[in-house]
Amino acid sequence: MVESIVSDKKTIFSGMQPSGQISLGNYLGALKSWVNLQDEYNCIFCSVNLHSLTVRQNPELLRQNTKQLIALYIAAGLDPNKNLMFLQSDVYQHTQLSWILNCYTYFGELNRMTQFKEKSAKYEENINAGLFTYPVLMASDILLYKTNLVPVGEDQKQHLELARDIAIRFNKIYGETFIVPEPYIGKVGARIMGLLDPTKKMSKSDNNGNTIFLTDEPNIILNKVKRAVTDSDNQIRFDTINKPGISNLLSIYSSITQKTILESEEELKNKGYGDLKKIVAEVIIEEILPIQEKFKELCKNEDYINEILKQNAIKAQEIADKNLNEVYKKIGIK
Ligand code: AQP
């Protein structure tokens, strides 16, 4: 059995797509909690740029967003010496394994994926095969590193379940090869909804005032929060069905301040909506400003980011190559 990265620590894999700039949703739902994992686990935080090709990208923007994503990982507190941070496209073994695992995944399984259904509806002019087989590439990302744990939001649970099924299926045929990954159950980040449509999640590829980006200037953040959709009954209370806008503002507030929703409700219940928005915008700005300052510094030093990517990709390739070769031998390619 091939070892995972090092020592007795468990391996965690997660990633983000550079399909836009990182949103407040990506930060509060994922990145912020990753920072707390880096001492206890062997962490692999990839920029999954090949995944983002399932939706048409502007090549220049994709290049820029890819580098910025890694700079934001570091600015938010991920230490490049403690975590493996690299571009998915720099480790070709991801796509090699993906092809193999495609042959161990059933059409019916992929056809059941709700994210495929949602994205097909959102991008109905471009329902490409990559969108359909996306979960197999994700399974490859995870299984390639003998990952033990995957921090997943609600939206990715089904994909992780599929990765587990593929691993179990492969192990049954060829003997113990992949570690069957478990979901990481820790302090789960909040699911942040769009400001203009609080019934749908905030996405980095939305660019219409629905999304706050980590790189937004304070006045932009204030304006976006001021324009957030609320309701007309002027009561601050958490009720996602009847008051999705106010509930979303409460989620953002409690996620940043680390207070419970109940504590936040109690603290803010006598405020008007205008004051609530001002308070929420203030805590967002306070949280994001230090990240932005560090990010701007990092962006001045592109060589530093390039070097991190290069060194980390070499380390990742070493592990990936070993594990892919094991698969090749088992299936008769080598
Ligand atoms: N709104 C959100 N609230 C909480 N967590 C979120 N995540 C994404 N949106 C929210 C989490 O961020 C991580 C990285 O996501 P991704 O880049 O792999 O793709 P995604 O989930 O499709 O994110 P976006 O922002 O919605 O990207 P686009 O617009 O390209 O589709 C994941 O852990 C995800 O759960």
Side-chain angles (χ1 to χ4, degrees):
M1 165 103 98
V2 180
E3 336 81 75
S4 56
I5 306 183
V6 251
S7 69
D8 48 357
K9 284 184 180 176
K10 288 193 166 171
T11 296
I12 281 195
F13 182 99
S14 202
M16 275 188 202
Q17 302 181 64
S19 44
Q21 294 184 5
I22 293 187
S23 74
L24 186 69
N26 299 135
Y27 173 70
L28 294 177
L31 186 51
K32 191 173 159 73
S33 44
W34 293 355
V35 175
N36 299 323
L37 303 174
Q38 59 187 340
D39 290 317
E40 206 179 325
Y41 299 96
N42 291 317
C43 293
I44 305 176
F45 296 121
C46 191
S47 167
V48 286
N49 53 353
L50 297 174
H51 279 286
S52 50
L53 298 178
T54 52
V55 172
R56 286 283 174 270
Q57 302 290 334
N58 170 314
E60 207 36 64
L61 268 183
L62 179 60
R63 234 185 309 275
Q64 189 185 318
N65 287 332
T66 303
K67 290 273 162 66
Q68 289 194 350
L69 184 90
I70 296 293
L72 277 169
Y73 278 4
I74 299 170
L78 293 180
D79 181 343
N81 296 312
K82 280 189 193 158
N83 306 287
L84 266 190
M85 295 192 280
F86 59 92
L87 310 186
Q88 187 185 30
S89 57
D90 281 342
V91 183
Y92 75 88
Q93 288 86 348
H94 289 242
T95 43
Q96 296 279 101
L97 182 61
S98 182
W99 172 253
I100 293 168
L101 296 186
N102 262 308
C103 303
Y104 296 84
T105 308
Y106 297 115
F107 181 88
E109 288 176 311
L110 293 175
N111 215 20
R112 281 197 291 276
M113 296 292 124
T114 49
Q115 196 186 73
F116 172 67
K117 289 177 193 157
E118 281 166 16
K119 291 228 164 166
S120 310
K122 191 168 171 186
Y123 301 102
E124 58 182 358
E125 76 298 343
N126 180 23
I127 307 174
N128 57 72
L131 205 57
F132 190 65
T133 57
Y134 177 111
V136 185
L137 181 56
M138 179 171 155
S140 309
D141 299 335
I142 296 167
L143 301 180
L144 190 55
Y145 298 95
K146 309 258 174 182
T147 300
N148 303 100
L149 296 164
V150 184
V152 274
E154 205 47 54
D155 50 337
Q156 293 294 340
K157 271 194 183 151
Q158 204 185 19
H159 289 170
L160 179 62
E161 204 45 57
L162 179 69
R164 288 170 51 82
D165 289 345
I166 297 171
I168 292 168
R169 184 171 303 143
F170 193 99
N171 288 351
K172 230 185 207 162
I173 305 173
Y174 300 104
E176 193 78 351
T177 309
F178 296 119
I179 288 180
V180 181
E182 303 282 340
Y184 172 79
I185 316 284
K187 195 174 172 329
V188 182
R191 184 170 163 86
I192 306 301
M193 312 307 272
L195 296 178
L196 298 182
D197 182 356
T199 61
K200 300 212 174 80
K201 79 164 183 157
M202 182 182 280
S203 271
K204 65 172 108 58
S205 55
D206 291 344
N207 196 2
N208 55 2
N210 207 36
T211 299
I212 291 176
F213 298 101
L214 279 200
T215 46
D216 278 344
E217 295 289 335
N219 63 325
I220 305 268
I221 295 175
L222 184 62
N223 283 333
K224 283 184 178 174
V225 177
K226 270 189 185 163
R227 292 206 314 267
V229 166
T230 51
D231 52 55
S232 54
D233 80 349
N234 245 337
Q235 268 185 44
I236 296 180
R237 140 175 92 74
F238 192 82
D239 173 352
T240 51
I241 306 290
N242 299 306
K243 299 172 71 66
I246 292 297
S247 305
N248 192 32
L249 293 176
L250 282 170
S251 286
I252 294 173
Y253 181 79
S254 54
S255 199
I256 293 177
T257 58
Q258 308 274 301
K259 291 175 184 165
T260 63
I261 292 283
L262 267 180
E263 285 165 347
S264 305
E265 264 181 337
E266 192 52 36
E267 183 187 329
L268 300 165
K269 68 180 182 202
N270 296 323
K271 306 274 180 206
Y273 284 0
D275 283 342
L276 171 71
K277 287 179 170 180
K278 231 174 103 200
I279 292 167
V280 171
E282 273 164 13
V283 293
I284 297 172
I285 293 166
E286 205 177 309
E287 174 87 4
I288 285 182
L289 264 186
I291 298 176
Q292 291 190 346
E293 276 162 27
K294 192 140 187 239
F295 173 70
K296 281 181 194 152
E297 277 307 303
L298 286 164
C299 287
K300 285 186 204 150
N301 195 350
E302 206 178 316
D303 289 349
Y304 171 70
I305 301 290
N306 288 338
E307 193 52 29
I308 286 170
L309 289 176
K310 193 172 143 200
Q311 294 307 329
N312 277 315
I314 292 172
K315 287 187 209 157
Q317 280 158 7
E318 217 173 282
I319 305 162
D321 199 49
K322 221 165 160 186
N323 291 344
L324 182 66
N325 266 303
E326 182 187 347
V327 172
Y328 278 172
K329 282 186 191 139
K330 295 243 164 115
I331 60 176
I333 296 287
K334 276 205 170 162

